[in-house]
Amino acid sequence: MRFYLLLLFLFSWLANAQELPPVLNFSPNDYNAGNQNWMVSQGEDENVYVANSLGLLEFNGTRWQLYPVPNQTIVRAVKAVGNKIFTGAYMEVGFWEKNQCGLLEYTSLLSKFPSKIQDGEQFWRIESVGNTIIFQSFEGIYLYEIDKEEIVSIGIPVERPISNLFRVGEAIYFLIPDSGIYSIKNGAAVLEVSAEILAGREIIKMFRQENSLQLVTRTGELYNLQEERL
């Protein structure tokens, strides 16, 4: 009994000793949109932008606003860069900017692609490095230069789906299952970690600690890449 009371005292003391940030939960009824949210980004205006199954969600701290993409499809990816909000969806990719009334207006980038995107292509992830925006679909990697307003595609070394894209510092990596992890250098794909080294591990996160790459797997394992071995 005394041990039980001591535990209660310790838990109470720890709870009071720590100032935990408030957590607010929002249901689809609160933001009046789909129940699937794929990615979140915060803009320079401090608003929160969410890739939702019914479009792009904007939250200014008090009010939610839904912006469907022109083809009314699921928004899979979102990335706020400067005053632009980039989104990727089914057969659609582009950016949003605020007009004089403070509402978001959409500009499609499909016409900027060097060739027509494949039928059924979906854009799953968006990253940025400087003035370059990187779009990833299962079929390809595309670089959009904001200043030049041009899009170039990265040559994919094998005809397999791209399952993930990672930004590590100023470097961009992408994963092709059964092929390996590639980086983008001078506009080309360079193999960094072979499929033999990965040995079937599904990588969901990458980051750099000191001078080595850290890899996190779907099963929760943490690996350190050193001299071409995990």
Side-chain angles (χ1 to χ4, degrees):
M1 183 63 177
R2 290 181 178 177
F3 179 70
Y4 176 71
L5 291 176
L6 178 60
L7 285 178
L8 286 179
F9 171 77
L10 287 174
F11 289 149
S12 176
W13 179 81
L14 288 172
N16 292 327
Q18 301 181 40
E19 293 185 6
L20 299 179
V23 177
L24 298 178
N25 295 309
F26 299 97
S27 72
N29 291 330
D30 295 321
Y31 51 78
N32 196 28
N35 60 7
Q36 287 184 311
N37 298 293
W38 299 89
M39 193 174 295
V40 178
S41 185
Q42 188 171 25
E44 63 178 10
D45 56 4
E46 297 188 355
N47 288 358
V48 174
Y49 298 93
V50 183
N52 183 267
S53 57
L54 293 184
L56 172 66
L57 273 173
E58 179 188 34
F59 183 57
N60 64 4
T62 58
R63 181 178 61 87
W64 292 92
Q65 179 73 40
L66 176 66
Y67 295 91
V69 290
N71 60 2
Q72 303 288 319
T73 59
I74 298 173
V75 174
R76 304 283 190 183
V78 60
K79 183 71 174 180
V81 181
N83 63 347
K84 293 180 172 63
I85 313 300
F86 292 88
T87 54
Y90 173 83
M91 299 292 291
E92 184 58 66
V93 64
F95 62 86
W96 306 77
E97 290 182 296
K98 287 189 176 181
N99 59 22
Q100 293 180 347
C101 298
L103 299 177
L104 293 175
E105 292 184 348
Y106 185 72
T107 299
S108 176
L109 290 174
L110 289 183
S111 63
K112 304 289 186 182
F113 279 70
S115 60
K116 185 178 179 180
I117 63 174
Q118 297 186 31
D119 186 34
E121 193 161 1
Q122 300 195 54
F123 294 89
W124 289 89
R125 192 163 183 85
I126 303 173
E127 286 292 351
S128 67
V129 176
N131 288 321
T132 302
I133 309 299
I134 302 95
F135 301 107
Q136 177 247 319
S137 69
F138 282 148
E139 289 76 17
I141 302 288
Y142 307 91
L143 307 182
Y144 173 62
E145 297 292 338
I146 296 178
D147 296 338
K148 298 179 181 179
E149 296 186 353
E150 295 177 350
I151 292 180
V152 297
S153 61
I154 299 298
I156 305 302
V158 294
E159 294 185 1
R160 294 191 182 122
I162 301 165
S163 65
N164 217 330
L165 181 81
F166 312 98
R167 174 179 171 175
V168 182
E170 297 299 301
I172 295 293
Y173 298 86
F174 62 92
L175 172 65
I176 301 180
D178 300 322
S179 180
I181 296 175
Y182 295 80
S183 65
I184 300 175
K185 295 180 179 178
N186 299 320
V190 177
L191 182 64
E192 299 287 352
V193 186
S194 68
E196 289 74 20
I197 294 175
L198 292 178
R201 301 177 180 92
E202 184 180 359
I203 307 302
I204 62 171
K205 182 67 177 177
M206 294 178 61
F207 60 95
R208 185 173 295 279
Q209 187 172 10
E210 296 179 352
N211 294 322
S212 63
L213 278 177
Q214 312 291 313
L215 310 179
V216 182
T217 68
R218 177 74 63 183
T219 55
E221 299 169 318
L222 176 64
Y223 287 94
N224 182 30
L225 180 66
Q226 290 184 337
E227 298 180 355
E228 298 186 355
R229 70 184 184 89
L230 295 179

